[in-house]
Amino acid sequence: YEVWLGPGAPLVTQPVIAGGASISENWNCANSAALTCQLTWTEISGSDWGITGNRAEIQAFNAIYTAARANTELSTDDHFCQATLAAFTTQSAAATAGVACRFQAAANNDHYFFRAESAAGGALQTQLWKRVSLEFTSLGTNATDPIVNDVIRIEADGSSITGLINGSARVGPITDTSITGFVRC
């Protein structure tokens, strides 16, 4: 970038400003049993994702871990992913909804994820997890209740992983170096 400071002023070269790819999805598409709208998505496990009423949702409640990732790479593994909890209710069994970052594009799909969870019978909480080589590890939990219209967000910055609700850290920052270099969310 160059800045001209006015008549007679020298041309000053500024340092490169960091930045990169930004992606978003608004789910403004027709109802569908598939999870493809503006972006192309891959369902990592299960095949229960779909679009209903301009939002992504699990089409049938089940006990299977169901995850999907956007097939667009960001420019760095230091990124965040966020979504609004449009509907989140207490189920008779545990139910979760959340966001993920540093998704690997390979078969074992390593990633970090932050989720709101309703335990069987009602208690709500948030949890930060990692999935490495198909194994899940909890990184932390916060007992504060997430509610409908909360913005749930996960951030990865170097070795610092943080789960936030409405911009406030709920879990973390946690130091973890298990997952680096992956640029999908």
Side-chain angles (χ1 to χ4, degrees):
Y1 294 90
E2 294 179 339
V3 177
W4 180 254
L5 301 173
L11 193 60
V12 178
T13 301
Q14 298 293 323
V16 173
I17 298 172
S22 175
I23 61 173
S24 65
E25 178 75 78
N26 67 13
W27 308 111
N28 188 14
C29 303
N31 289 352
S32 171
L35 190 65
T36 296
C37 197
Q38 285 86 27
L39 301 174
T40 301
W41 293 80
T42 296
E43 294 186 48
I44 303 309
S45 59
S47 58
D48 298 325
W49 283 99
I51 301 170
T52 303
N54 295 334
R55 65 183 184 200
E57 69 178 20
I58 301 295
Q59 301 293 304
F61 180 76
N62 62 49
I64 299 171
Y65 171 76
T66 305
R69 71 156 187 263
N71 289 331
T72 302
E73 294 195 348
L74 299 168
S75 59
T76 177
D77 69 351
D78 294 334
H79 61 262
F80 70 89
C81 180
Q82 73 180 26
T84 300
L85 294 171
F88 191 71
T89 59
T90 303
Q91 305 286 330
S92 58
T96 64
V99 289
C101 69
R102 288 194 180 162
F103 245 116
Q104 182 179 19
N108 68 356
N109 295 299
D110 294 352
H111 62 279
Y112 292 105
F113 62 100
F114 182 57
R115 68 185 188 180
E117 178 189 56
S118 73
L124 296 173
Q125 62 184 358
T126 54
Q127 299 175 325
L128 184 62
W129 290 81
K130 66 180 175 181
R131 183 180 188 203
V132 177
S133 300
L134 303 176
E135 296 294 324
F136 294 95
T137 304
S138 174
L139 299 176
T141 299
N142 182 299
T144 306
D145 292 353
I147 59 173
V148 171
N149 293 322
D150 276 351
V151 175
I152 187 168
R153 175 176 170 138
I154 187 169
E155 296 179 350
D157 186 7
S159 63
S160 181
I161 312 301
T162 307
L164 303 96
I165 298 287
N166 299 325
S168 297
R170 291 286 176 88
V171 181
I174 301 292
T175 300
D176 191 272
T177 58
S178 300
I179 306 170
T180 60
F182 305 136
V183 291
R184 295 184 182 190
C185 59

